[in-house]
Amino acid sequence: FYRVYKKTSGNGSLCLYLGRRDFVDHVERIDPVDGVLKIDPSALNGRKVWVQLACAFRYGREDLDVIGVSFRKDIWIKRIQMYPFEGTKPPNTPMQDALLKKVGDQGHPFTFDIPVHLPCSVSLQPAPEDAGKPCGVDYEVKAYIANEEDETDEKVEKKDTCRLIIRKIQYAPNELAAGPKTDLNKQFITADKPIHVEASMEKELYYHGDPIPIKVKVNNETSKVVKKIKISIHQITDVLLYSSDKYHKCILNEEFGDQINANSTFEKEYRVTPLLASNKEKRGLALDGKLKDEDTNLASSTILLPNMDKQMQGLVVSYKIKVTLMMGGGLLGSLTLSDITAELPLVLMSPKPAGKVSVLLYLGPWLCNVYTDQLYMDSSVFVT
């Protein structure tokens, strides 16, 4: 079964259909946003109909908007006049053809091409007591009835609009870079020789929810003792559009009781798994764009093309791993010793789904509710 998402305006004159809500950024190109808008011209009263796709950065709750000051900044917006139609229509996609067959003469296909420099959908996790939409970058398809294209000087009634939030997402590339490696020598004031630490990974990119193996080698040529080893993973989110905020969130912190004695060597592989489920209470944590109450995951690392304007990204997300040797006290306690930390870069992303054949089934005129969206089916079978 193939989901078709449907939203109807309050006055019933507009009905927006999308065959999917996730659109993939393939780095060099982005899946086009294709849909169908059903228009009942009898309720327009001489007005026109537009459909728009907007990418916006939200940095405050809607209920905090006061004296006309909005906490939402449009990054990119494009509109198509649907009725009366103006412009050139691109060829229909299979999904559009299937929907038009059911919708009939009142159906009008539309297609948007998203520029490659726009950010992926990402949101900042609100605190449990926060209400309203979270801060972050989102994409919205909206159809509306108005006299003029730009709504700035015209109050468009809510009943004359319908909208669907969509996501722009990015999957891990097929070609993976070699794993990172870091070497660190630590010389203590009270020791003649250093401690050498080597931390490495087989690859830099890992998928959300997969264990991350980290190899740690230590050559302790001192008389000091390493009491235990701590591994932590940190998410760094740069907020670029409205200010220069930076959020540092520790998403994993595990300690291992491996002791490394004086004048000895040590080698071990540790496996750690950062999960959103362990960080549900952390306000400001960056998440992949979320649709309603559907599950999501930690935000994927931001992949930037050469010469891409970082300011346009709204939020830039990166990760790093810290391997810390926690030292025991010396003759003068902690005054003469400090922990030793080696850092590794980490890229977290979602795997590219396996290729599938989608079948669109129509079972008569029935409509079946799927949460607050609509699953639309008919008796014919279309393979897309």
Side-chain angles (χ1 to χ4, degrees):
F1 292 92
Y2 197 107
R3 271 192 184 183
V4 176
Y5 297 90
K6 172 188 175 185
K7 278 296 176 67
T8 305
S9 62
N11 60 19
S13 58
L14 300 180
C15 196
L16 182 62
Y17 296 90
L18 289 177
R20 51 183 169 160
R21 296 178 77 175
D22 286 342
F23 297 87
V24 180
D25 180 349
H26 302 275
V27 182
E28 301 86 3
R29 63 177 180 85
I30 302 169
D31 291 344
V33 179
D34 55 336
V36 168
L37 180 64
K38 183 180 179 181
I39 304 171
D40 180 3
S42 64
L44 300 183
N45 297 322
R47 294 174 296 171
K48 302 173 184 178
V49 177
W50 281 270
V51 64
Q52 74 174 30
L53 174 60
C55 170
F57 180 72
R58 186 190 309 278
Y59 50 96
R61 286 161 34 194
E62 288 178 324
D63 59 353
L64 297 180
D65 290 2
V66 292
I67 60 173
V69 177
S70 174
F71 288 87
R72 177 184 172 93
K73 178 180 176 62
D74 287 328
I75 299 174
W76 176 86
I77 189 167
K78 186 175 181 181
R79 300 182 180 94
I80 301 172
Q81 183 173 317
M82 300 297 295
Y83 190 90
F85 183 80
E86 291 186 355
T88 303
K89 291 184 179 180
N92 291 343
T93 63
M95 172 59 69
Q96 288 173 328
D97 284 334
L99 288 172
L100 288 170
K101 182 178 179 181
K102 186 64 185 180
V103 173
D105 294 339
Q106 291 188 339
H108 301 266
F110 62 85
T111 302
F112 289 101
D113 292 317
I114 304 176
V116 294
H117 64 271
L118 294 184
C120 289
S121 300
V122 62
S123 62
L124 297 181
Q125 182 167 263
E129 67 274 11
D130 288 344
K133 295 180 180 179
C135 298
V137 175
D138 64 32
Y139 288 78
E140 179 187 77
V141 180
K142 182 175 78 170
Y144 62 95
I145 303 170
N147 291 304
E148 299 297 335
E149 174 183 349
D150 192 344
E151 306 171 71
T152 304
D153 300 323
E154 181 180 358
K155 176 67 175 177
V156 176
E157 298 289 340
K158 188 175 181 180
K159 64 181 178 64
D160 291 333
T161 66
C162 54
R163 61 187 71 197
L164 279 169
I165 298 295
I166 64 172
R167 290 189 294 196
K168 175 177 173 285
I169 57 177
Q170 201 168 44
Y171 294 127
N174 294 324
E175 297 181 5
L176 303 180
K181 178 181 175 182
T182 184
D183 292 283
L184 184 65
N185 282 311
K186 176 70 175 181
Q187 183 77 49
F188 295 110
I189 297 175
T190 57
D192 295 333
K193 295 183 178 181
I195 290 183
H196 177 75
V197 183
E198 179 185 299
S200 62
M201 298 189 296
E202 291 182 358
K203 54 185 180 179
E204 185 177 18
L205 190 152
Y206 287 87
Y207 300 143
H208 294 294
D210 284 356
I212 301 171
I214 303 163
K215 292 181 180 178
V216 178
K217 296 181 181 179
V218 180
N219 183 12
N220 183 8
E221 298 184 83
T222 73
S223 59
K224 317 301 179 184
V225 175
V226 178
K227 293 294 185 182
K228 53 187 172 181
I229 293 177
K230 180 175 72 174
I231 294 180
S232 58
I233 299 180
H234 301 259
Q235 182 194 77
I236 302 96
T237 304
D238 288 296
V239 184
L240 303 173
L241 264 183
Y242 71 98
S243 66
S244 297
D245 288 350
K246 181 173 285 194
Y247 293 90
H248 286 261
K249 300 292 179 180
C250 180
I251 59 173
L252 181 142
N253 189 25
E254 294 188 19
E255 294 184 0
F256 302 89
D258 295 308
Q259 181 171 297
I260 305 173
N261 295 321
N263 299 303
S264 66
T265 59
F266 174 85
E267 182 174 344
K268 188 174 181 178
E269 181 179 275
Y270 298 93
R271 299 175 76 85
V272 294
T273 308
L275 296 170
L276 175 57
S278 306
N279 295 276
K280 286 288 190 179
E281 304 299 317
K282 292 181 180 175
R283 183 178 189 174
L285 188 68
L287 313 177
D288 272 348
K290 190 174 182 180
L291 298 176
K292 300 159 71 170
D293 294 324
E294 296 178 13
D295 289 336
T296 186
N297 42 251
L298 296 165
S300 296
S301 301
T302 304
I303 305 298
L304 296 174
L305 290 170
N307 303 317
M308 183 178 283
D309 184 3
K310 286 183 66 175
Q311 291 295 122
M312 290 289 290
Q313 300 305 300
L315 299 171
V316 173
V317 179
S318 60
Y319 293 89
K320 64 181 176 183
I321 296 174
K322 291 185 178 182
V323 178
T324 302
L325 306 188
M326 305 181 74
M327 307 300 297
L331 294 175
L332 299 178
S334 59
L335 293 177
T336 58
L337 289 179
S338 60
D339 295 340
I340 304 169
T341 300
E343 295 187 2
L344 293 167
L346 170 67
V347 178
L348 275 180
M349 298 191 76
S350 296
K352 188 177 298 183
K356 296 180 181 180
V357 175
S358 298
V359 179
L360 180 60
L361 294 176
Y362 281 107
L363 307 174
W366 302 304
L367 289 174
C368 304
N369 287 319
V370 180
Y371 302 105
T372 60
D373 300 305
Q374 303 289 336
L375 180 64
Y376 204 39
M377 299 186 286
D378 176 321
S379 58
S380 302
V381 178
F382 300 89
V383 179
T384 60

